[in-house]
Amino acid sequence: MTPFRIYDRTYQTRLLLGTARYPSPAILQQAVTGSGAELVTVSLRRQQSAPESAQPFWTLLRKLNVDLLPNTAGCRTADEAFTLAQMSRELFDTPLIKLEVIGDDQTLQPDMVQTLACARRLLDDGFQVLPYCTDDLMFCRALVEAGCEVIMPWGAPIGTGRGLSDPYRLRTLRERLPDVTLIVDAGLGKPSHVTEAMELGADAVLLNTAIAKAHDPVAMAQACRLATEAGLLGAQAGPMLAQDHANPSTPVLGMPFRRTS
């Protein structure tokens, strides 16, 4: 596949993986391998809440030989997210941070005012920020103008598996922000959703629940990797335009037949 960039790093595989909610560490390891993911998210907050499992988890991550993308999952304010990002940078030794500032407990919709404020602080502090955001063009443009080279708009609320709630908005983001790395994050549930996101112009997708909670997470990871490839190739191929009326695929002009009464 054609490589894509996340700040100063280049990746071949356009599927990023979360590392939470898997049935076991062994299945997580197999899923990451099957997905071909080169970048996986980690949550310092989740590990702090379960310290007895932290050491085996870090050992597993080292064995996977992948880049780590710490996140600020669970944060509700810009100050909280900024502090957690600094702790994550020190622990994981990376400037990458997936910024999450949640504004609603039911939908887990990001608070875009707080997200934008925190993104500016983090960028000024030397972070490479990947903000989890809505698909609102104005806020996404503001994030880019602040210095974000990557944006991560949601497809649907986190963990719902509903697929893309508003394909038009994602297509618009791609058209209006053509030079930004666009990673669809949240709400995708199956390979067809992944393909659709890629066909709309996403550079990559980030999945967690869709794979971790599948009946067979390893098979689902493999399927979603193939779905990113299919969607990207389909987009690059230039699909035909949809039409309102039927148009025969086999021409009839010049056929050696004549209608008789």
Side-chain angles (χ1 to χ4, degrees):
M1 293 184 69
T2 307
F4 75 107
R5 295 186 65 81
I6 294 179
Y7 287 92
D8 56 350
R9 304 167 190 237
T10 301
Y11 296 98
Q12 297 289 334
T13 305
R14 293 172 181 257
L15 176 59
L16 286 62
L17 240 58
T19 55
R21 308 185 70 182
Y22 286 83
S24 70
I27 291 178
L28 166 60
Q29 184 173 17
Q30 294 171 39
V32 172
T33 301
S35 72
E38 301 165 276
L39 181 65
V40 302
T41 65
V42 291
S43 172
L44 177 60
R45 170 158 287 180
R46 288 197 181 100
Q47 293 308 311
Q48 287 176 324
S49 66
E52 70 281 353
S53 62
Q55 190 57 45
F57 181 71
W58 302 141
T59 301
L60 171 61
L61 290 180
R62 285 193 291 269
K63 289 181 179 178
L64 291 174
N65 193 30
V66 294
D67 287 350
L68 301 181
L69 175 60
N71 65 36
T72 61
C75 291
R76 294 295 193 276
T77 67
D79 287 342
E80 191 179 9
F82 184 78
T83 299
L84 189 60
Q86 289 184 311
M87 295 171 61
S88 296
R89 179 169 60 181
E90 182 175 347
L91 177 62
F92 298 111
D93 191 28
T94 177
L96 291 172
I97 190 72
K98 181 191 172 190
L99 173 61
E100 298 181 35
V101 184
I102 299 302
D104 183 77
D105 290 334
Q106 182 173 347
T107 65
L108 299 181
Q109 178 172 328
D111 182 326
M112 292 306 300
V113 174
Q114 294 281 327
T115 297
L116 179 57
C118 190
R120 287 172 172 152
R121 291 177 63 188
L122 290 168
L123 289 162
D124 287 343
D125 199 40
F127 282 91
Q128 296 174 336
V129 182
L130 289 77
Y132 169 57
C133 53
T134 65
D135 50 12
D136 182 279
L137 174 61
M138 296 301 101
F139 271 116
C140 288
R141 178 181 287 163
L143 286 166
V144 173
E145 291 173 349
C148 293
E149 297 181 17
V150 181
I151 57 172
M152 304 184 75
W154 66 348
I158 294 173
T160 60
R162 297 175 60 86
L164 301 180
S165 296
D166 198 332
Y168 170 78
R169 283 187 169 225
L170 290 175
R171 184 185 297 111
T172 300
L173 287 179
R174 179 72 293 164
E175 292 172 353
R176 301 303 298 276
L177 303 171
D179 300 323
V180 176
T181 298
L182 193 156
I183 302 173
V184 174
D185 178 22
L188 306 185
K190 51 189 178 182
S192 59
H193 298 159
V194 173
T195 299
E196 183 181 11
M198 298 299 294
E199 288 175 340
L200 289 172
D203 293 293
V205 298
L206 171 60
L207 301 178
N208 193 160
T209 309
I211 293 176
K213 291 302 181 181
H215 179 71
D216 185 338
V218 179
M220 184 60 76
Q222 295 169 339
C224 289
R225 172 178 58 81
L226 295 173
T228 63
E229 297 176 8
L232 177 63
L233 289 173
Q236 293 174 339
M240 65 171 283
L241 296 177
Q243 302 181 73
D244 293 329
H245 303 289
N247 188 12
S249 57
T250 302
V252 296
L253 293 177
M255 293 292 287
F257 298 103
R258 184 173 62 178
R259 179 179 298 176
T260 59
S261 56

